[in-house]
Amino acid sequence: MNLWEGTKRGVNRAGAAVRGGSGTQHSDPEFNEQEQRFRNLERRALRLMEETKGYRTSIAEVTTAQTALAENLASFVIDVQRPQDYQTAYRQAATTISQTSHPQFNEIYTRTVLQPMAQYCGYLPEFEKAIKKRKQLAEDLEKARRQLSKEQSKSPEDTVAVERAEQDLQYAEDAHNTLNRTLIAEIPKLINSRVYVTDPSFEAFVKTQLQFFSDSLQNMAVVQQRLPSVGGPGDDSVLDERIENVMSQVRSLNICTLNV
């Protein structure tokens, strides 16, 4: 992104030798509008960056939870029966997703979605520093104006002091105006360029999801083939009946009828 490197150099050149000072902020409606646009972009970009990270974290957590569930399911029944074929298949599917599908997703997602967004958001602090520098330059400009007015009213005959104050004012104006023009010109470019990041990243986001869930579906399809076949369109009702029968047997245990 050569645009941003040029912007950074322009911003640094504009205030390279600025001295400190205090005063009121220089009013500029055109700049104020662009600064507000930048603030809106900054807020939305950082939020999108956090949500992008959050999605990757969520996928990792689901994958980890799935693997842990598979492991605990096997250990839960190991002392009363051998693992059923579908339990073994589920454990194998969860392991494959965790060790193969998820690392592939994570690598591609990080490279094609997270890194471009992080690179784009990485330029926001450069603009933030430039805006702060402009504020300091505006304060220096107001200070130089007050100093010139003071010298002119204090000793009109002292042309040396007045000329020096005029030179300081000219320097302050040049520094401020240069950075001001740079920001007014570059902030819209930063805002407009976001589509060159979001469009390909969103496409990659969809494709990585599709690939990950397709791989997961393929692995889970093997588990589905091993599940006990109940048969008929009323599979759900039959399963509900089987579960209710088991729970009835549990409730009939003596310990469950004690009022303790």
Side-chain angles (χ1 to χ4, degrees):
M1 293 187 180
N2 294 332
L3 166 64
W4 311 128
E5 297 302 326
T7 299
K8 290 162 61 178
R9 289 195 296 270
V11 166
N12 291 332
R13 284 198 302 269
V18 178
R19 293 173 294 177
S22 61
T24 58
Q25 184 173 5
H26 186 61
S27 177
D28 185 332
E30 187 176 9
F31 169 78
N32 293 341
E33 178 185 356
Q34 295 303 328
E35 182 183 13
Q36 184 60 46
R37 294 183 68 201
F38 170 76
R39 296 303 178 194
N40 292 336
L41 171 74
E42 182 181 42
R43 182 178 66 256
R44 293 172 182 175
L46 294 178
R47 179 178 177 182
L48 181 59
M49 184 69 208
E50 287 304 311
E51 290 172 345
T52 304
K53 291 179 179 178
Y55 182 82
R56 183 180 66 172
T57 300
S58 297
I59 293 295
E61 290 175 345
V62 168
T63 303
T64 300
Q66 182 174 256
T67 304
L69 190 151
E71 295 289 341
N72 289 322
L73 176 63
S75 63
F76 185 66
V77 297
I78 193 66
D79 59 333
V80 294
Q81 69 175 34
R82 296 181 60 185
Q84 301 295 319
D85 287 346
Y86 63 86
Q87 294 171 339
T88 302
Y90 180 77
R91 184 178 182 182
Q92 181 58 50
T95 300
T96 301
I97 293 172
S98 176
Q99 296 182 356
T100 303
S101 301
H102 180 255
Q104 291 175 351
F105 165 85
N106 191 64
E107 189 275 328
I108 297 174
Y109 184 83
T110 299
R111 176 165 47 84
T112 62
V113 179
L114 270 184
Q115 289 180 355
M117 275 301 303
Q119 185 178 8
Y120 182 82
C121 290
Y123 292 108
L124 299 178
E126 299 295 332
F127 280 80
E128 177 66 31
K129 289 191 295 185
I131 290 172
K132 289 182 179 179
K133 184 177 289 187
R134 178 204 174 273
K135 180 180 180 180
Q136 184 64 58
L137 289 172
E139 293 174 349
D140 290 345
L141 179 57
E142 293 299 325
K143 180 180 178 181
R145 287 171 175 165
R146 292 195 302 270
Q147 184 63 31
L148 176 59
S149 178
K150 178 180 177 182
E151 294 295 341
Q152 289 174 335
S153 62
K154 182 175 64 174
S155 53
E157 298 83 6
D158 188 358
T159 58
V160 175
V162 172
E163 290 176 357
R164 182 166 57 247
E166 289 176 342
Q167 291 175 355
D168 290 344
L169 176 59
Q170 185 62 52
Y171 171 82
E173 286 180 342
D174 291 343
H176 173 271
N177 292 340
T178 299
L179 182 53
N180 197 58
R181 287 193 301 269
T182 299
L183 285 169
I184 290 174
E186 298 295 347
I187 287 176
K189 295 179 183 179
L190 174 71
I191 295 172
N192 294 337
S193 69
R194 69 191 186 278
V195 297
Y196 300 113
V197 176
T198 56
D199 283 0
S201 291
F202 180 74
E203 180 180 350
F205 175 63
V206 173
K207 289 181 177 179
T208 52
Q209 283 188 90
L210 179 61
Q211 185 63 54
F212 176 73
F213 289 120
S214 295
D215 291 346
S216 298
L217 180 60
Q218 285 182 339
N219 283 283
M220 287 301 168
V222 177
V223 183
Q224 186 179 30
Q225 295 172 0
R226 305 289 179 85
L227 289 174
S229 178
V230 177
D235 282 359
D236 290 342
S237 61
V238 173
L239 286 174
D240 290 342
E241 183 179 348
R242 289 174 58 189
I243 293 173
E244 180 57 31
N245 288 336
V246 172
M247 296 309 299
S248 297
Q249 295 177 34
V250 173
R251 286 194 294 269
S252 67
L253 297 175
N254 291 335
I255 193 67
C256 295
T257 61
L258 296 177
N259 186 17
V260 295

